[in-house]
Amino acid sequence: MTAIERARTVAVIGAGTMGQGIAQVALLAGHRVRLYDSVPERAREAVQTVGGRVERLVAKGRLDRAEADDAVGRLDSAGTLAGLASAALVIEAIVEDVTVKRELFAALEGVVSPDALLATNTSSLSVTELAAGLAHPGRFLGLHFFNPAPLLPLVEVVSGHATDPEAAERAYRTVLGWGKTPVRCADTPGFIVNRIARPFYAEAFAVYEEQGADPATIDAVLRESGGFKMGPFQLTDLIGQDVNEAVTRSVWDSFFRSPKFTPSLAQRRLVQAGRLGRKTGHGWFPYAEDAQAPAPHTAGPEDAPEKVTVVGDLGPAAVLADLMEEAGIAVTATGHGGPYIQLPGEGQLVLADGKTSVEFADVVYFDLALDYRDATRIALSASADTSERTLAEAIGLFQKLGKKVSVIGDVPGMIVARTVAMLIDLTADAVARGVASAEDIDTAMRLGVNYPLGPAEWHDRLGRDWAYDLLHHLDERCPGGRYAPSLALFKLGYEAGEDEDEGGEGEGAE
């Protein structure tokens, strides 16, 4: 199946920001583009706006004059739907309303040719539901661009229940030819990005609601330890709390209110208070001109221990032994027991595993990092029973490694670890249900929301049982189903360990 020929017309319906962006992408790919809006004047204004953007590309040296003149000559508006009759592909980018969209596509069926593809840019509605009632639902699919469409490479190519595989493949090839990075996806609530991304927000909000840490500290830990470009509190303030919560609630409702997708009460209160983020001047953080940005909690200086013992295999944190030695801390290693770092005061420093410090005699937990060598901040958690000496030694140790230290409450799984484990679990479940391949999910999460690693990449790096074990422990301490590992994640541990276990019990099945 080949892409739509460049000589064919692409129609875009909806003259807003997204419609204009999609039109610009198709135009610069070489198509004739026709913009339509229910208000004709808006379509004409959009044509001028897109033409202006093309001119700016010339001014920046990214497009030559001949190419720009040719592109502008292929762009015009249509006063009626009948003006879109020649389109080989129609992409809709109008209001997120099922009734309005279905009426539009029903009308389009009487206008375009039988071989034309019809696509919706919806981010939250069911492609299958939008196609219901069409005479030819097989040619209908989702093409979910991300805003701003000319800049962001990702496009989710969504197949509804009735979408013909040939139509989806033709759309995929077309978008690929436009210089975008398409990913294939079945029609599921939230598609790939908005489904898989829920824990990034939800776990941060849960830690806050559990009094584990304040928003500035949680954001800082996810950025400086987890490697995420923005923290969830800062990001939802940018998106708009009302918009982010609406997506969360839509996914939650679509999954029959599964505890995996439960919305945040703290975010609900923020929306009810009208604190929607940057657009209202206040969200999780204040944005007035004279507002002082809250600082993350950073522990004061402590003395580092002169020597430690590494007990067992630290797994994802194994590099800490090298870092400690490089920093001048004497390290003795023993392969029996653990895994933990034995501190001089007899306390233990343990990688977050879904348990709590209060369960043990004298334990400080430390959070997961994308790369412990490059991380600039590490979170520690301790209970009221943890000795002052053990906590001070733990703080001093990481400070000696050049890290800022944030001490948070005794929350199981901490911040980065529980977030990554949930991302891995939702991905395993989505792959098992045929939503998308692990490779496409990783691509979508890296390009769509700028994650440092895709969830499947995290899983490969952390080990086959890491996420399962952490979530199993979390589920025991926070019952209700939210943290119960999926069957897919359970099976993944067995599949990955077939060569080692030879039919025995997988390590993930405690």
Side-chain angles (χ1 to χ4, degrees):
M1 182 60 63
T2 58
I4 293 171
E5 299 82 359
R6 299 296 171 89
R8 302 289 301 275
T9 297
V10 171
V12 178
I13 299 179
T17 301
M18 183 59 78
Q20 292 173 21
I22 295 171
Q24 180 179 332
V25 171
L27 184 68
L28 295 181
H31 293 276
R32 178 179 176 80
V33 175
R34 305 210 74 182
L35 262 167
Y36 171 82
D37 195 277
S38 57
V39 179
E41 182 59 31
R42 284 205 296 255
R44 290 191 290 269
E45 291 174 356
V47 167
Q48 296 301 314
T49 300
V50 174
R53 290 177 181 170
V54 172
E55 287 296 324
R56 286 196 291 276
L57 292 176
V58 174
K60 294 177 180 179
R62 295 168 57 187
L63 198 67
D64 65 39
R65 170 51 56 194
E67 290 174 319
D69 290 344
D70 179 61
V72 171
R74 287 184 274 105
L75 174 66
D76 61 5
S77 62
T80 65
L81 285 180
L84 309 181
S86 63
L89 168 64
V90 181
I91 304 174
E92 161 273 315
I94 63 172
V95 62
E96 290 285 85
D97 184 290
V98 171
T99 300
V100 174
K101 289 180 188 288
R102 288 181 64 175
E103 289 175 353
L104 170 64
F105 285 111
L108 279 170
E109 277 202 308
V111 171
V112 298
S113 63
D115 68 338
L117 297 181
L118 301 180
T120 174
N121 184 59
T122 185
S123 62
S124 60
L125 302 177
S126 166
V127 171
T128 300
E129 183 178 6
L130 293 178
L134 292 180
H136 303 288
R139 62 175 171 174
F140 186 84
L141 70 152
L143 286 179
H144 180 215
F145 289 76
F146 287 72
N147 194 29
L151 297 181
L152 295 186
L154 184 68
V155 179
E156 293 176 321
V157 181
V158 186
S159 293
H161 183 73
T163 303
D164 290 334
E166 294 81 5
E169 185 64 19
R170 187 165 173 80
Y172 180 95
R173 296 291 174 187
T174 299
V175 172
L176 185 65
W178 291 358
K180 294 299 183 182
T181 304
V183 291
R184 297 177 175 90
C185 177
D187 183 24
T188 184
F191 307 144
I192 296 176
V193 172
N194 281 331
R195 171 176 175 157
I196 302 299
R198 293 349 294 163
F200 179 68
Y201 311 108
E203 295 314 308
F205 298 162
V207 171
Y208 169 72
E209 290 175 343
E210 293 163 17
Q211 300 292 295
D214 61 275
T217 299
I218 295 169
D219 274 5
V221 170
L222 282 162
R223 288 194 310 268
E224 299 170 40
S225 183
F228 294 91
K229 299 300 182 184
M230 294 180 72
F233 294 91
Q234 179 188 13
L235 182 56
T236 52
D237 270 355
L238 180 63
I239 294 169
Q241 298 303 328
D242 53 339
V243 174
N244 180 262
E245 194 212 24
V247 173
T248 298
R249 286 187 170 272
S250 174
V251 172
W252 181 51
D253 285 336
S254 297
F255 278 108
F256 308 103
R257 304 202 165 187
S258 164
K260 294 279 187 182
F261 301 99
T262 301
S264 162
L265 179 59
Q267 188 180 40
R268 173 94 290 254
R269 292 291 181 258
L270 209 62
V271 173
Q272 289 173 333
R275 293 189 167 188
L276 307 182
R278 288 183 177 274
K279 62 187 176 184
T280 61
H282 206 303
W284 296 109
F285 305 119
Y287 295 97
E289 280 189 23
D290 58 346
Q292 195 79 14
H297 171 270
T298 302
E302 298 286 356
D303 294 331
E306 294 182 359
K307 60 181 180 179
V308 299
T309 300
V310 174
V311 181
D313 182 0
L314 296 180
V319 72
L320 287 177
D322 294 334
L323 296 180
M324 288 186 289
E325 288 185 330
E326 291 168 15
I329 300 173
V331 177
T332 302
T334 173
H336 304 291
Y340 56 83
I341 298 171
Q342 184 75 54
L343 298 169
E346 300 304 316
Q348 297 174 355
L349 189 54
V350 183
L351 176 62
D353 59 5
K355 300 177 183 178
T356 56
S357 180
V358 74
E359 302 170 45
F360 306 99
D362 199 11
V363 163
V364 172
Y365 275 105
F366 66 96
D367 209 350
L368 180 68
L370 173 67
D371 185 327
Y372 284 100
R373 185 174 293 276
D374 293 338
T376 57
R377 182 180 298 271
I378 296 293
L380 303 179
S381 69
S383 74
D385 294 334
T386 305
S387 72
E388 292 183 6
R389 177 177 177 178
T390 294
L391 181 56
E393 288 177 343
I395 292 170
L397 186 151
F398 280 106
Q399 289 175 340
K400 184 72 172 178
L401 304 186
K403 318 299 182 187
K404 296 177 182 177
V405 175
S406 293
V407 179
I408 69 170
D410 189 18
V411 291
M414 302 191 69
I415 299 172
V416 181
R418 71 196 280 178
T419 299
V420 170
M422 287 292 284
L423 291 171
I424 290 171
D425 185 57
L426 289 193
T427 295
D429 184 63
V431 171
R433 294 178 186 274
V435 171
S437 69
E439 294 76 14
D440 275 356
I441 292 175
D442 277 358
T443 297
M445 302 315 290
R446 287 196 313 270
L447 298 183
V449 279
N450 212 12
Y451 283 5
L453 291 177
E457 291 174 308
W458 272 111
H459 179 265
D460 291 343
R461 174 182 288 200
L462 296 170
R464 63 189 179 91
D465 291 326
W466 181 87
Y468 179 90
D469 288 345
L470 187 143
L471 292 176
H472 176 65
H473 296 150
L474 255 172
D475 183 50
E476 289 181 332
R477 287 150 185 81
C478 306
R482 179 183 181 123
Y483 300 110
S486 66
L487 176 61
L489 188 60
F490 176 78
K491 289 181 175 180
L492 203 56
Y494 275 88
E495 292 168 3
E498 284 177 354
D499 293 339
E500 300 173 22
D501 298 327
E502 289 295 325
E505 287 192 4
E507 295 175 11
E510 291 188 356

